[in-house]
Amino acid sequence: MSNNAVLYQRDATYIPRIAAVHDMCGYGKCSLTAAIPILSAAGCDVCPVPTALFSAHTMYQHYTFHDTTEILAGYLDAWQQEGVDLDGVYSGFLGSAEQVAIIQRLYREYPHALRLVDPVMGDGGHMYPTYTEELCQEMAKLADGADILMPNLTEASILTGREYPGQNLDDEQIVDWLGALLDLGAKNVVLKGIDRGDGTLRNAVANATDGAEQFTLLTHEKLPYMIHGTGDAFASALCGAVMSGRSVAESAQIAGEFVRHAMQSTRNQPNFTERGVSFELNLGEMTALVQQ
């Protein structure tokens, strides 16, 4: 395997099914309200597994949160009874530690499905407010066997039990961090959000076969503002590109540019720093991946 390895051979006439194990957020574009349209635009049949229901994302002062753990066993039982098949399992935000077992159940029942893990736990050196130490410890179990693990640097520190390093990593540090993540059992790692303060954001890609030293460093222009939900948009776009038959590194590059373009579209919207990344005008980039 290399960073140019293709994980999914796309049949142009077939629409792959992806279980999107994520929360549903009513306002503030993220999680399933990002995953469903972005993956759909990339020609995927998105099958949501809602891990929580939010009125708005957690950057708002006022929001409601409902943990859906108690309904998920029956939810997946019904899928089994109907013979639902899956080509991929894409997991993100979880509502409780018990939901890791739900994802592991999907892995057992669909052993041929790609395991696409965005270990959503925090950013900027801090856990998200609904997360617990127990949930983060359980989340780390999903790294073992992941076809792609997509942490930011905060999540990388939580997964590996290391101190948060900040975002400014040199190449030697990148190798060290990628190695620690690959040691968890991931087959491919995309380490997101390296920022050396030079106006460029970097994402590093490595695989278990070649080792961390053979990483690929992808670069994108850094825009001078922050928007909530870009991580979910990136992960969803990366998964969509992988399911279109692109390599891991190419998919990460496509996802980074998709997010950058969507952030530029978002800048023109009212209350743009709060409402989440507005990618609607850029979905054609994803559809172009699978157009004949």
Side-chain angles (χ1 to χ4, degrees):
M1 184 183 290
S2 76
N3 299 331
N4 293 317
V6 173
L7 303 186
Y8 184 79
Q9 298 292 335
R10 181 70 180 245
D11 177 346
T13 64
Y14 176 72
I15 298 174
R17 295 189 195 94
I18 310 297
V21 189
H22 238 309
D23 69 287
M24 175 63 80
C25 187
Y27 188 77
K29 209 76 58 57
C30 59
S31 51
L32 284 176
T33 51
I36 294 171
I38 292 171
L39 283 164
S40 296
C44 297
D45 177 2
V46 188
C47 306
V49 181
T51 58
L53 301 177
F54 284 88
S55 58
H57 64 64
T58 59
M59 296 299 288
Y60 283 95
Q61 184 176 356
H62 305 289
Y63 61 86
T64 62
F65 166 60
H66 177 74
D67 173 4
T68 62
T69 301
E70 65 181 17
I71 72 167
L72 293 181
Y75 191 104
L76 296 186
D77 288 345
W79 279 15
Q80 282 294 302
Q81 290 162 4
E82 293 297 333
V84 171
D85 197 12
L86 296 173
D87 299 288
V89 176
Y90 161 39
S91 61
F93 185 100
L94 301 185
S96 71
E98 292 76 17
Q99 291 180 356
V100 171
I102 294 292
I103 298 170
Q104 292 171 325
R105 172 184 171 175
L106 287 168
Y107 292 166
R108 291 193 303 272
E109 294 178 349
Y110 304 96
H112 58 284
L114 284 178
R115 302 180 183 184
L116 308 163
V117 180
D118 182 15
V120 177
M121 292 183 283
D123 203 0
H126 302 285
M127 283 193 307
Y128 291 132
T130 61
Y131 269 59
T132 63
E133 293 289 348
E134 181 190 7
L135 174 50
C136 290
Q137 290 171 5
E138 287 296 302
M139 181 82 86
K141 296 178 180 179
L142 299 179
D144 189 8
D147 289 291
I148 306 179
L149 180 68
M150 303 170 263
N152 61 32
L153 287 157
T154 300
E155 292 151 355
S157 69
I158 296 171
L159 290 171
T160 59
R162 294 172 155 208
E163 185 177 349
Y164 172 61
Q167 292 182 242
N168 185 358
L169 302 186
D170 61 25
D171 284 4
E172 184 177 349
Q173 291 171 308
I174 290 172
V175 170
D176 180 48
W177 278 91
L178 287 171
L181 292 163
L182 289 169
D183 285 345
L184 297 176
K187 299 175 184 177
N188 296 273
V189 171
V190 179
L191 181 60
K192 305 179 294 186
I194 299 160
D195 186 354
R196 296 175 176 171
D198 58 0
T200 298
L201 285 177
R202 295 167 172 84
N203 299 316
V205 182
N207 69 85
T209 302
D210 293 337
E213 295 81 5
Q214 301 301 315
F215 73 91
T216 300
L217 197 60
L218 307 173
T219 61
H220 306 274
E221 176 192 0
K222 181 183 179 181
L223 299 177
Y225 48 89
M226 297 293 292
I227 297 173
H228 183 83
T230 52
D232 293 341
F234 177 92
S236 300
L238 190 155
C239 293
V242 165
M243 300 307 296
S244 78
R246 270 53 175 193
S247 72
V248 179
E250 184 181 2
S251 295
Q253 181 69 20
I254 288 167
E257 286 302 283
F258 172 77
V259 169
R260 183 172 68 86
H261 298 154
M263 287 180 68
Q264 290 170 329
S265 299
T266 306
R267 179 66 180 82
N268 300 318
Q269 312 310 315
N271 304 315
F272 75 94
T273 58
E274 298 176 355
R275 65 183 289 166
V277 61
S278 297
F279 49 72
E280 290 84 354
L281 300 179
N282 305 95
L283 288 172
E285 296 177 30
M286 303 307 301
T287 302
L289 300 176
V290 290
Q291 286 180 326
Q292 299 301 301

